[in-house]
Amino acid sequence: MSSIPAPFALLNLVQGAMVSQALYAAATLGIADELADGPLAPEEIGKRVDADPESTYRLLRVLAAYGVFAEREDKTFELTPMADALRTDAPLSMRRIARLMGHPTHWEDWGHFLEAVRTGEPSLPKVRGMSAWEYFGANPEYAQVFFAGMGNLSDLETVPVSQGYDYSPFGRIVDVGGGSGALLAAILERTPQASGVVFAPSSVEAAQQVLAQAGVADRCTIEEGSFLESAPAGGDAYILKHIVHDWPHEQAVAILRNVRSVIGPQGKLLLMESVVPEGNTPHSSKLVDLWLLLLVGGRERTEAEYRKLLSDAGFALSKITETPAGVAIIEADPV
């Protein structure tokens, strides 16, 4: 248990928004990239990123106190493991999510969170006069930042999810709402006897590139379509990664029923979602759940809530496999 008195521990949480903005500034300026070759003085960093040297020092001093960058005795700054993750070309770079979490539009959205709690409805459509998806279409600059940040989080999950389940029994795997196809590509790399289908509305070019780079393009097709309307027939396994959490119960049931209408009696439904733990256990899903409430009216779900959702859609939950990334593989059978 922390030895910090409760009021001060609470103060640290309250000030977390300020830390997010400091990280956003460092990520947007690209400071970590400039330090990739070694320590630099704040004056040199400021010159390279077009920022005031004294303000750059003050920014780095704060982040160094949190273990992001480190100040040396000669007053230069160097990368730490966390700062290294802010580099654009880091193996698991967190720069894109840092740029999203501090973006002015993201902050404006959260400025209306209280209303979402009071009404139980997403506040973004009321503020913007359109749904989140329509807003992304009308604001491509922010959409690029948003989906790049989401891709950042997805990258963290690809390896644990592709390695955390035995996909070898399946001959044909359909990724419903598969986006760029990165997850299916990783699965097919580990399952050489299988073929796959990426089913998504408008990411054909990106998926083609990802599948080709993974060397699985000859075993995978791409079909354009909306999971709100249908799903491809003929799959032995249907995977849906972070799809149903975007939707309230009735819409999520409708999406799953589209899969139920085409899945065979021996087919498997595999949902890749966070399962909210009961009680006071810390879990990233509890924060994401609030974000979903704010933006789209979706929700993260407990095991009991997934059992109910799947039952209403014609499936029975059979197994939950947790992965190190905090996302679970929820296996269900058609009934």
Side-chain angles (χ1 to χ4, degrees):
M1 184 175 293
S2 173
S3 61
I4 302 174
F8 293 96
L10 180 60
L11 179 61
N12 285 338
L13 289 176
V14 171
Q15 292 178 324
M18 298 162 67
V19 179
S20 293
Q21 276 296 320
L23 288 167
Y24 168 73
T28 301
L29 291 170
I31 292 175
D33 289 346
E34 300 299 332
L35 293 177
D37 294 328
L40 292 172
E43 293 78 12
E44 179 61 24
I45 298 171
K47 184 186 302 181
R48 294 189 181 191
V49 302
D50 192 26
D52 175 68
E54 182 182 359
S55 299
T56 300
Y57 171 75
R58 294 163 70 179
L59 168 65
L60 290 171
R61 179 175 62 184
V62 167
L63 290 176
Y66 287 90
V68 186
F69 305 105
E71 184 175 5
R72 294 154 51 99
E73 289 185 3
D74 61 0
K75 297 298 183 183
T76 61
F77 284 86
E78 63 183 356
L79 295 176
T80 61
M82 281 199 290
D84 194 62
L86 280 179
R87 290 190 300 109
T88 305
D89 60 352
L92 284 176
S93 173
M94 291 290 98
R95 186 184 181 195
R96 291 173 290 164
I97 190 64
R99 294 189 67 191
L100 170 60
M101 298 306 288
H103 194 282
T105 300
H106 177 80
W107 275 53
E108 185 179 0
D109 291 341
W110 276 94
H112 299 276
F113 177 66
L114 177 59
E115 181 183 358
V117 175
R118 282 178 167 157
T119 65
E121 299 176 350
S123 55
L124 185 143
K126 301 172 187 176
V127 174
R128 307 293 185 194
M130 61 186 79
S131 71
W133 315 113
E134 291 169 332
Y135 185 77
F136 293 141
N139 295 271
E141 182 274 331
Y142 179 62
Q144 191 278 328
V145 173
F146 183 90
F147 288 111
M150 293 298 98
N152 225 168
L153 298 181
S154 184
D155 290 344
L156 294 176
E157 299 169 347
T158 298
V159 171
V161 169
S162 64
Q163 296 182 0
Y165 184 86
D166 181 13
Y167 301 92
S168 62
F170 309 125
R172 190 168 188 254
I173 303 169
V174 180
D175 190 347
V176 179
S180 68
L183 175 59
L184 185 56
I187 291 172
L188 292 179
E189 283 185 278
R190 296 178 57 82
T191 317
Q193 80 284 356
S195 64
V197 179
V198 176
F199 183 66
S202 59
S203 55
V204 173
E205 186 174 333
Q208 287 174 334
Q209 183 176 356
V210 168
L211 296 169
Q213 289 176 343
V216 298
D218 60 329
R219 292 188 284 125
C220 194
T221 59
I222 303 167
E223 295 187 23
E224 289 190 79
S226 170
F227 52 70
L228 296 173
E229 300 172 357
S230 64
D236 300 308
Y238 287 81
I239 63 177
L240 288 83
K241 181 170 178 283
H242 293 322
I243 300 297
V244 298
H245 80 167
D246 282 337
W247 302 90
H249 185 81
E250 291 305 319
Q251 288 93 329
V253 168
I255 292 167
L256 294 178
R257 282 179 177 163
N258 287 334
V259 176
R260 181 64 184 86
S261 68
V262 296
I263 195 170
Q266 304 304 314
K268 292 288 185 181
L269 172 67
L270 303 174
L271 304 182
M272 283 72 171
E273 299 281 3
S274 294
V275 178
V276 181
E278 302 284 358
N280 300 319
T281 305
H283 199 274
S284 61
S285 62
K286 295 181 179 182
L287 274 177
V288 174
D289 181 57
L290 299 185
W291 198 0
L292 293 167
L293 167 63
L294 172 71
L295 292 185
V296 293
R299 65 188 306 131
E300 300 288 17
R301 294 174 170 89
T302 63
E303 178 179 340
E305 289 170 329
Y306 272 113
R307 288 189 183 278
K308 168 65 173 170
L309 174 67
L310 289 163
S311 176
D312 288 352
F315 292 93
L317 193 157
S318 57
K319 184 179 180 182
I320 295 178
T321 303
E322 293 286 351
T323 74
V327 61
I329 302 168
I330 305 165
E331 180 178 337
D333 303 307
V335 294

